[in-house]
Amino acid sequence: MEDCEIVEGQLVEPFFSSKNKDLYFKIKGSPKLFRINRALEYGFSTSLMDSLQNQEVKIFPVKHWTLIDPYNNYPHVARLEWQGRLIYSEF
């Protein structure tokens, strides 16, 4: 987790990509669109995201530069917590 930053805030506007099964969402007040790769394959569902929408969460986006996203506008999330519970982790 040392290669991650910690972002806390209200999860808003979640949606799934039909092309690659990724989950995208925003944290209120941040211009970034955070993503969890292949979230549908890891058990994420529309009902889960509906229950997390507008809730305070803690996410751990990975800090790294990529040619595809040089300004880090779409950071990859490696961990998601809600109310002290682990919802998703790559660790």
Side-chain angles (χ1 to χ4, degrees), residues 12-42:
V12 294
E13 302 178 35
F15 68 93
F16 292 100
S17 167
S18 59
K19 291 182 181 180
N20 56 19
K21 301 180 182 177
D22 289 357
L23 167 66
Y24 293 89
F25 60 89
K26 290 186 174 185
I27 297 294
K28 191 172 184 176
S30 174
K32 297 183 179 192
L33 188 60
F34 298 94
R35 64 185 169 80
I36 295 178
N37 291 337
R38 298 185 315 275
L40 287 172
E41 294 177 7
Y42 293 115

Side-chain angles (χ1 to χ4, degrees), residues 7-91:
V7 177
E8 296 184 66
Q10 191 176 29
L11 187 148
V12 294
E13 302 178 35
F15 68 93
F16 292 100
S17 167
S18 59
K19 291 182 181 180
N20 56 19
K21 301 180 182 177
D22 289 357
L23 167 66
Y24 293 89
F25 60 89
K26 290 186 174 185
I27 297 294
K28 191 172 184 176
S30 174
K32 297 183 179 192
L33 188 60
F34 298 94
R35 64 185 169 80
I36 295 178
N37 291 337
R38 298 185 315 275
L40 287 172
E41 294 177 7
Y42 293 115
F44 281 82
S45 65
T46 302
S47 62
L48 172 63
M49 295 318 298
D50 286 347
S51 66
L52 291 178
Q53 185 158 313
N54 300 315
Q55 297 290 312
E56 293 291 319
V57 296
K58 182 188 289 188
I59 61 171
F60 297 76
V62 178
K63 296 184 289 188
H64 67 273
W65 182 90
T66 68
L67 185 59
I68 296 171
D69 184 20
Y71 300 106
N72 200 27
N73 291 318
Y74 307 96
H76 168 71
V77 173
R79 184 179 178 105
L80 169 65
E81 297 176 1
W82 171 66
Q83 295 184 344
R85 293 184 218 151
L86 180 63
I87 304 298
Y88 169 77
S89 180
E90 294 180 356
F91 306 114

